[in-house]
Amino acid sequence: MQKPVKPKTEQQRLSALFNTGLLDTEPEPRFDRLTHLAQLCLGTEIVLVSLIDSDRQWFKSRQGLDACETHRDISFCGHTILGDEIFEIPDAVVDNRFTDNPLVLDAPFIRFYAGVPLSINGANIGTLCFIDSKPRQFTDKERQIAEQFAKSIEQEIVDRLQEQAHSELLESDKMYRLVLEGTQIGTWQWNVQTGETVLNERWAEIIGYQLEELTPISLDTWLTKVHPDDLTLSEQSLQDHFSGSTTFYDIECRMKHKHGHYVWVRARGKVVSYSKDGKPLMICGTHADITTQKVNELALKQSRDQLYKLTQELPGVVYQFQSWPDGRSAFPFASSGIEAIYGVTPEEVRLDASTAFNRIYLEDLEAIAHSIELSSQNLSVWELEYRVHSNDNALKWLSGSATPERMPDGSTLWHGYIQDITQTKEHYLKLEELNIQLGIAQQSLDLASEQAQIGYWQASLKQGTLWWSPIIYQIFGLNEQDFSPSVSLFKRAIHPDDVAKVEKSEDQARVTGIHNVVHRIIRPNGEVRWVHELGQLVSEDKNPELIMIGSVQDITDRMKLQKIKDDFISTVSHELRTPLTSIFGSLTLLQSGKLAALPEKAQKLIDIASSNCQQLSRLINDLLDIEKLAAGKMSFEMKPSHIMPLLQRALKDHQPYADLHHISLTLQVNQPMDELLLFVDEHRLLQILTNFLSNAVKFSPQGESVTLSATLMDEQIEIAVQDQGSGIPDDFKGKIFERFSQADASSSKAKGGTGLGLALCKELIQAMNGSIGYQSEPGSGARFYVRLPIMK
């Protein structure tokens, strides 16, 4: 606990405090009204006017607290008087200065504290403080309200001093002289009959002069300094006093200062002698500088006006609710916001609250009645969330809080605030529902993850941190209790022959944002498993920590099956290529007619055989490419490449084929792309585009057009080919990228094709960290596209 230090000006501060005469005095309504109103407006459990003595803090006014003083060493207010601004502690439990303070650990169990210094004559003699047993933080508007209440307390102290001084002035001449000296009041004497005038030095100082500067002194000295608008008031007050209508000549007026501005003074006087004929002869009086008082009165009026406006403009209702033992209840005070809350005006419930209670949702009425009864019995804070019917009969949620006090007639009066929380409550209820759904979804995801052997991870490439989902421990053969995820642990598990491949994919991910690699790991028991890692990196401007998220799937069984299949295809392909090359050469020789002239029917048979031989050759070449991709043996020459030259080359290379089918080719881009770069293998990307264009030409009617387009999409480029064909049947869309897939078996005969082209395109684009897809409606053509990340 941090004890409050004492300021360097402690003696002057204590002197100012003692001069107020407030210590150990009885409660006064002038202060209690303000603290009660402050408690009503700001809704805190406790509001205090705390005066800081040498060893204690004593409470001149208190709301919500029975104790009248505490030791200064454990006070919060002792810290507040060290500065001139509001001192606020949102949660004392987490504040090292107060976490073990007895006032925090025991009653009143302070959690929230806000104190505004009370300054008199430049010295902080105490505070106006607000205390709550729950964490809280004032808004800017609430701080302004607190500061205005503090200024009002200060003004009440000043007013009290002046009233006390004036009272003592009337009690004795000695006290009168002491007050004149202590309060620096100017004095004056005026011979009404001769006009002779006597002023003291303080009278001149009030308006910025030395007395000698005003000589010769006369009645005109006063008349020339009074504001012209106040002369009539002065003359009338004098005549009233001279006639005996008033005991004193007493006015407040403005006097012109030496520097040109006006100061406010209070002029008081009394006729002390009369001439023989009964006319006023000598009148004596005082001048007091009340400029500060006038300014404070204006500030107080403004603060009161502002306070009224605040209570009227708050989104909820500030109110007083009173309940009597005979069952009657009413709202003696309610701001205009009650109409938005209950649909009634303040006047309608000032004497009878039943109109407001009729709006309460029937199912919540019993809980409200019980909570009010409990609060009344224990004088505990009333807090509740409940529903009411709005004017359109819809239900809305309200949140109310109020502090009770027992009244002399046995009734209970609550001071509180109610606000509409419908939107917040609906969001909260929706959040609860979503949390339940999220829990179910998480359970489903965990179950699916375990069944599919897919784990999820998150890594920071900048910090080197790593997080795994539980299934990854199973994939790597680790015990979750014995290991924590780390980059070094992951690196040690990679098969030595695959380390370079994984590091290359990670390096490419920094450029392309995509991490996609299949590799082997070695479990602690020596077992080798195949895994597929797939991750994505958000761009650095949105992701300063370079966070990459992704998945790991155990694909060992798939790789074993793929190996068996690939070995079979490789064997068959290689075994077929040699005899097929020989057959194709022989057929080509026969077609040429160099060996012998063949009959027309024989020539047609030779042409058919040659065409089928070419088709089979393409099939074998595609199979070998797919085998290389699956085995990781296909080489890629990845380099930065401009997009536009590649698109133009693809169109140029395919123009003869399009002309053969009477199809026009067009290029379309949505914005300039001359400066954009892709990190790709140009040959493989052209291979994909050739496949797209070839298919589009084959399946478009003669005389139509095929469009090659490039579109910028955030941080990717989409390259697409749109044809005018019949589109893709719905029953074929799910297997369009599978090997040996064709929508119609007859199309391979009519159009030619192996059924491997799109499957090969998918493998190639994924190897270059891209994606592939299509859009098609039957009868409206097809649009095939690939998406590749732009180089950063």
Side-chain angles (χ1 to χ4, degrees):
M1 182 185 74
Q2 179 178 322
K3 297 180 180 179
V5 299
K6 293 185 177 181
K8 295 180 180 179
T9 58
E10 178 68 1
Q11 290 305 317
Q12 295 92 319
R13 193 193 67 78
L14 288 174
S15 177
L17 172 63
F18 297 147
N19 288 339
T20 64
L22 289 171
L23 285 174
D24 301 309
T25 57
E26 292 296 323
E28 298 180 44
R30 68 197 310 163
F31 297 107
D32 291 342
R33 279 194 299 268
L34 287 172
T35 55
H36 185 221
L37 186 58
Q39 183 187 41
L40 175 66
C41 290
L42 295 180
T44 55
E45 298 169 5
I46 298 172
V47 179
L48 305 171
V49 174
S50 174
L51 303 177
I52 308 302
D53 201 346
S54 56
D55 297 312
R56 61 172 179 157
Q57 63 172 354
W58 181 80
F59 308 131
K60 173 61 180 173
S61 177
R62 60 187 188 272
Q63 302 291 335
L65 185 69
D66 293 331
C68 61
E69 65 179 50
T70 62
H71 202 279
R72 181 173 176 175
D73 285 349
I74 63 173
S75 71
F76 284 57
C77 297
H79 294 271
T80 303
I81 64 170
L82 299 178
D84 296 322
E85 304 294 333
I86 188 168
F87 180 71
E88 186 173 358
I89 306 297
D91 190 350
V93 171
V94 298
D95 192 310
N96 292 334
R97 295 171 294 180
F98 304 103
T99 185
D100 56 348
N101 189 298
L103 299 178
V104 175
L105 300 177
D106 297 314
F109 303 102
I110 297 176
R111 293 292 294 277
F112 168 77
Y113 170 89
V116 185
L118 297 176
S119 178
I120 300 297
N121 293 328
N124 292 342
I125 65 170
T127 72
L128 172 65
C129 67
F130 304 82
I131 297 172
D132 224 321
S133 60
K134 296 179 181 178
R136 178 177 174 178
Q137 190 160 11
F138 275 167
T139 64
D140 290 341
K141 184 173 287 188
E142 288 172 334
R143 292 189 187 95
Q144 292 177 10
I145 292 173
E147 290 169 351
Q148 291 299 323
F149 272 116
K151 291 185 183 298
S152 299
I153 295 292
E154 291 175 350
Q155 184 60 48
E156 291 294 344
I157 294 174
V158 171
D159 290 348
R160 187 180 185 276
L161 283 172
Q162 291 184 348
E163 292 168 5
Q164 184 178 6
H166 183 65
S167 176
E168 292 172 351
L169 178 64
L170 298 177
E171 291 176 0
S172 69
D173 290 339
K174 180 180 178 180
M175 184 61 68
Y176 172 75
R177 290 191 297 272
L178 290 174
V179 169
L180 287 178
E181 182 179 349
T183 58
Q184 297 186 345
I185 291 177
T187 63
W188 52 272
Q189 298 176 23
W190 175 38
N191 189 313
V192 181
Q193 300 304 318
T194 65
E196 182 183 358
T197 304
V198 178
L199 308 174
N200 72 348
E201 189 68 41
R202 175 57 186 158
W203 191 99
E205 290 175 356
I206 290 175
I207 56 175
Y209 291 91
Q210 298 292 323
L211 189 60
E212 61 185 23
E213 296 180 77
L214 298 175
T215 55
I217 305 297
S218 68
L219 181 60
D220 288 339
T221 305
W222 154 259
L223 294 175
T224 57
K225 297 294 184 289
V226 177
H227 194 289
D229 294 344
D230 295 340
L231 282 174
T232 302
L233 174 65
S234 174
E235 179 64 26
Q236 183 63 48
S237 182
L238 271 175
Q239 294 305 319
D240 290 343
H241 179 53
F242 289 162
S243 66
S245 299
T246 59
T247 306
F248 289 94
Y249 161 71
D250 191 347
I251 64 165
E252 293 179 355
C253 62
R254 291 159 289 179
M255 294 184 66
K256 192 169 186 178
H257 194 273
K258 181 180 180 180
H259 297 313
H261 62 277
Y262 282 91
V263 295
W264 279 93
V265 297
R266 183 175 184 181
R268 286 175 59 86
K270 184 177 178 65
V271 176
V272 295
S273 63
Y274 293 85
S275 63
K276 292 181 180 180
D277 57 358
K279 293 181 180 180
L281 179 61
M282 186 66 69
I283 181 170
C284 299
T286 61
H287 268 185
D289 185 346
I290 61 170
T291 304
T292 301
Q293 176 184 334
K294 280 292 186 179
V295 171
N296 288 340
E297 285 178 358
L298 180 60
L300 179 59
K301 182 180 182 303
Q302 290 175 340
S303 67
R304 287 171 178 168
D305 290 344
Q306 183 181 27
L307 179 61
Y308 175 78
K309 290 179 181 179
L310 287 174
T311 59
Q312 300 306 310
E313 294 177 5
L314 281 172
V317 55
V318 176
Y319 71 96
Q320 289 180 317
F321 173 73
Q322 193 166 9
S323 175
W324 285 270
D326 62 5
R328 291 183 297 116
S329 63
F331 288 90
F333 169 81
S335 63
S336 58
I338 195 170
E339 191 164 0
I341 294 295
Y342 283 116
V344 297
T345 64
E347 291 74 18
E348 291 174 328
V349 291
R350 183 166 289 123
L351 300 177
D352 185 359
S354 59
T355 308
F357 275 76
N358 290 338
R359 292 297 187 104
I360 297 174
Y361 185 50
L362 186 61
E363 292 184 9
D364 295 346
L365 195 57
E366 183 178 351
I368 291 178
H370 177 71
S371 66
I372 292 175
E373 179 65 25
L374 192 64
S375 175
S376 177
Q377 290 176 358
N378 303 328
L379 290 182
S380 56
V381 175
W382 175 80
E383 291 181 312
L384 193 67
E385 292 181 357
Y386 58 100
R387 290 163 289 183
V388 298
H389 292 281
S390 61
N391 288 332
D392 59 1
N393 211 34
L395 284 179
K396 59 183 177 182
W397 280 93
L398 303 180
S399 174
S401 176
T403 303
E405 66 170 315
R406 193 76 70 214
M407 305 305 291
D409 62 357
S411 66
T412 304
L413 181 67
W414 284 266
H415 314 274
Y417 176 69
I418 298 174
Q419 60 180 325
D420 187 334
I421 60 165
T422 303
Q423 188 174 13
T424 302
K425 190 69 176 181
E426 288 176 350
H427 288 170
Y428 176 76
L429 295 174
K430 184 63 176 178
L431 182 60
E432 281 189 335
E433 180 183 346
L434 291 175
N435 283 336
I436 294 174
Q437 295 176 1
L438 180 61
I440 296 173
Q442 185 63 50
Q443 293 176 0
S444 301
L445 179 62
D446 291 342
L447 180 60
S449 175
E450 183 173 358
Q451 291 176 343
Q453 285 293 288
I454 299 177
Y456 303 94
W457 52 267
Q458 177 177 304
S460 171
L461 302 186
K462 178 172 288 188
Q463 301 294 336
T465 56
L466 184 63
W467 171 86
W468 284 348
S469 66
I471 196 65
I472 295 183
Y473 290 95
Q474 298 181 27
I475 293 174
F476 279 71
L478 302 173
N479 189 330
E480 186 175 353
Q481 308 302 322
D482 299 334
F483 295 93
S484 296
S486 67
V487 174
S488 59
L489 177 64
F490 168 70
K491 295 289 188 184
R492 290 197 301 271
I494 300 174
H495 193 286
D497 294 342
D498 292 346
V499 170
K501 178 166 55 171
V502 175
E503 290 178 346
K504 179 180 178 182
S505 179
E506 290 175 347
D507 291 340
Q508 290 180 350
R510 294 179 181 270
V511 177
T512 65
I514 302 296
H515 174 55
N516 186 0
V517 63
V518 174
H519 65 90
R520 291 163 292 178
I521 59 170
I522 302 177
R523 288 180 171 178
N525 62 4
E527 181 184 3
V528 176
R529 306 289 294 181
W530 281 91
V531 296
H532 179 197
E533 283 191 71
L534 185 61
Q536 184 168 1
L537 179 69
V538 182
S539 61
E540 188 170 1
D541 60 333
K542 300 178 182 176
N543 183 22
E545 296 299 319
L546 293 180
I547 299 296
M548 175 175 279
I549 57 175
S551 64
V552 174
Q553 182 178 16
D554 188 332
I555 59 170
T556 304
D557 293 339
R558 187 201 308 170
M559 292 299 288
K560 289 179 180 178
L561 292 174
Q562 187 66 38
K563 182 67 167 61
I564 295 172
K565 182 169 61 174
D566 291 343
D567 287 346
F568 172 75
I569 292 174
S570 177
T571 300
V572 172
S573 299
H574 284 286
E575 291 298 327
L576 286 175
R577 173 171 281 189
T578 300
L580 185 61
T581 302
S582 177
I583 294 170
F584 182 65
S586 300
L587 290 173
T588 302
L589 188 59
L590 288 171
Q591 278 182 304
S592 66
K594 294 180 180 180
L595 294 179
L598 297 175
E600 183 179 351
K601 289 184 178 181
Q603 184 67 43
K604 288 183 179 180
L605 290 174
I606 293 296
D607 291 341
I608 292 172
S610 177
S611 176
N612 289 335
C613 191
Q614 286 180 314
Q615 180 77 355
L616 185 57
S617 179
R618 285 195 298 269
L619 172 62
I620 292 171
N621 288 334
D622 287 346
L623 283 171
L624 291 176
D625 280 345
I626 288 179
E627 178 210 351
K628 289 178 183 179
L629 282 167
K633 297 178 181 179
M634 178 174 283
S635 61
F636 284 85
E637 297 182 7
M638 303 290 287
K639 64 179 181 180
S641 302
H642 287 284
I643 179 63
M644 290 305 296
L646 289 174
L647 299 178
Q648 292 164 353
R649 180 178 169 187
L651 284 185
K652 181 179 178 182
D653 291 348
H654 218 73
Q655 189 63 54
Y657 183 69
D659 293 340
L660 183 63
H661 289 76
H662 304 289
I663 300 295
S664 63
L665 301 180
T666 58
L667 177 61
Q668 179 181 319
V669 295
N670 70 333
Q671 63 186 78
M673 297 187 183
D674 294 336
E675 302 301 323
L676 298 181
L677 292 173
L678 300 177
F679 191 70
V680 295
D681 183 320
E682 293 183 0
H683 172 71
R684 299 302 177 187
L685 180 57
L686 286 171
Q687 186 176 349
I688 295 171
L689 297 182
T690 296
N691 188 284
F692 281 4
L693 289 167
S694 176
N695 286 342
V697 169
K698 283 191 296 185
F699 291 99
S700 291
Q702 290 189 5
E704 295 291 347
S705 65
V706 169
T707 302
L708 173 63
S709 63
T711 306
L712 186 60
M713 304 175 64
D714 293 330
E715 297 176 357
Q716 290 184 321
I717 287 180
E718 180 184 271
I719 304 172
V721 173
Q722 173 74 54
D723 65 41
Q724 305 299 322
S726 58
I728 302 170
D730 290 337
D731 59 354
F732 182 64
K733 290 180 178 180
K735 51 186 178 180
I736 195 167
F737 292 112
E738 294 180 4
R739 300 176 189 180
F740 303 106
S741 296
Q742 289 180 316
D744 184 351
S746 64
S747 67
S748 63
K749 299 175 183 179
K751 306 289 186 180
T754 65
L756 290 173
L758 290 177
L760 181 58
C761 288
K762 180 181 179 181
E763 298 286 345
L764 289 172
I765 197 66
Q766 289 178 346
M768 292 188 291
N769 300 314
S771 60
I772 191 170
Y774 69 93
Q775 297 164 345
S776 177
E777 293 295 333
S780 300
R783 181 177 181 273
F784 283 85
Y785 62 85
V786 292
R787 292 173 182 166
L788 289 160
I790 301 170
M791 281 191 64
K792 301 173 184 176

